[in-house]
Amino acid sequence: MAPKVLLMGELFWAGPDAEELLGGIAELVPMESQSREEFFQDCAPGGRYSDIVGIYHEHLSDKIGAGYDSVGVKAAKARGIGVSNTPGAVDKATAITAVFLLVATMRRFSWCEANLRAGGFNPPGVEESARDLSGKTVGILGMGGIGLKMANYIRPFGCNLLYHNRRPNSLAPPDVKYVSELYEFLGQLDVLMVSIPLSEKTRGFVGVKEIRTMKKGSIIVNTARGPVIDEEAMIKALQDGHLGSVGLDVFTKEPEVDQRLKDMKHITLLPHVGTENQEARRKMERTALVNLKEFLTTGTGPNLVPECQ
Amino acid sequence: MSKPQVLIAANPKNGIVWSKEEQNSKLGAVAEVLELTSSSREEFYKDLSSGGKYANIVGIYRHNDSASAIGIFDKDLIDHLPKSVKYIAHNGAGYDQIDIAAATAKGIEVSHTPGAVDAATATVGAFLAISAMRQFYRAEVNVRNGQWKSGLSPARDPEQKILGIIGMGGIGKALARRLIAFDMKVIYHNRNEITPPPDFPCTYIPNVEDLLKQSDIVSLNLPLNDKTKGSFGKKQFDQMKDGSVLVNTARGAVVDEEALLQALDSGKLFSAGLDVFPDEPNVNPKLLQNDKITVLPHMGTETRDSQKKMEILVLDNLISALSGKGLLNQVPEQKK
């Protein structure tokens, strides 16, 4: 009897990949528990999931993705359970979303499109606030896989690129300058691209002090996780004009979005669609399946999260 | 000896916006600068005639905004210009609002502002391409309406797709460089193959039909003139791949709008990204109501940075001409 793997989520694009990768190695069993209590019962001895060896997990109001803040990694490690994620698969799609937000905010395009569709044309005064990207300083906070892709995508737009990271990344291209001191980094930027994972250490990382260190009129783009930014501080800075605009794909309490943000014309908002396209979704699903296959056949996996290594 | 007179025919209320300093110090050093005050074409014709305040102007700084007061520089207007006019320095890379043949017939040299518009316009093109593929307009509407992802279907990525550029001039090249970074493959059609080839990988396609058949995204980057007006119509849409995307940052009138609407309705086009329309600022409501496309109100160079660059280039063209060195960027049709 093939070992059982619990499918907590849905394979939209990688159904055939599941057959190809796990056929003969494991049986994928869809999760049917209707509540947390029922799930606990199903996992207890004698329950229908009591003998599973692996779980394909997709966070229910988010996606599999690279962010694994919804999985209790410490508890898993303590029980000898390995947790893997799907980095790489999300990099390009997320980086493109970040560049879209960079352009949209610098050029105030959301305001322009809304104005046009409402029967106007150029919004009055847009020439004063909209800026060229050429020659502007863009800082990437977090030079991981996504940050690296962002740098390459932004380069042809003629921006001056900087990055800040816990440590310099040897893979960073030579034209992206490392700035070791956070506030020195922030003070030089026209745009801050947030690309760090959410953890206890990074919650509220971009707060009042960090925002006020940035230049007046500057912009923040966030495609990482909402809670990395102190949302209240960000909103205040938008209201008093310290921040010229923000481009957000993530928020602190998705799917809710603060009404004050929804009412601002000069910013750009997306509903966490960083990887919402067929190619990226399929890559993510497939990567998770490959991770499972590796666990089952070799006892270890290629994408164990750093905390579990 | 008094300085030659130059007329600033720009925004009727504000004139030149970002370079008043240079208008006064640089242009003012070699010319007597007059501002357009005529509030109608009729009044302008009076002002241009013998005894009128513009009867002796030698050069004109022209911005499309002046059309709201005096209309475009068609044959009729050009024929009313006094004999003294030698130069029309236009603010914009596209100069379809000027009848070049009429100007040439009167011995008037015309310049435009290529190069100064490239980065900003190509950035709009790249934005439209990404937004159309990833369906970001609809996604943003969803957030603002409190619907989050409800009703959104996974969209598409530019990665590994083929970008077909029609018109590989300055803007076309700047667009190619931006989208190549996203792993797009670039093919292009141009009146002639570019030699030496551009400094990025791209393939010349001599036949437009072949380009249309292969492209996932088609970008229009060619000027509007008698030859190109309405040149992208039903035949071209039929030749495009099913589910492809059209991006237009050139001129609205290059495209047959009925055919465009048809192609969107039928699903031939997955989406479109449009910055230009045939009758700006009026835009077909069918386009404004379509949430599968992305539309912008001709924002190609609408930043203070680009506007200033362009204004300075127009002033420099006039200063060069008035100093006897000729226009810097005379339009190609007049350069023989």
Side-chain angles (χ1 to χ4, degrees), chain B residues 215-243:
Chain B
S215 303
D216 296 293
I217 301 180
V218 173
S219 173
L220 299 178
N221 293 100
L222 65 173
L224 173 65
N225 52 45
D226 291 332
K227 288 206 202 82
T228 64
K229 185 169 182 159
S231 60
F232 204 95
K234 180 172 188 335
K235 178 164 172 226
Q236 286 67 37
F237 284 112
D238 285 347
Q239 288 166 350
M240 286 175 75
K241 269 169 96 164
D242 288 344

Side-chain angles (χ1 to χ4, degrees), chain B residues 5 7 9 34 36 38 40-60 70 73 76-85 106:
Chain B
Q5 288 183 340
L7 172 66
L34 309 174
L36 179 73
S38 331
S40 71
R41 181 171 274 224
E42 220 188 295
E43 195 186 332
F44 186 51
Y45 286 0
K46 277 211 203 83
D47 293 332
L48 290 168
S49 61
S50 171
K53 44 186 164 168
Y54 308 138
N56 300 305
I57 56 176
V58 174
I60 303 177
I70 62 177
F73 273 42
D76 193 58
L77 186 145
I78 290 181
D79 285 346
H80 276 84
L81 294 176
K83 282 205 264 292
S84 51
V85 174
K106 285 194 70 157

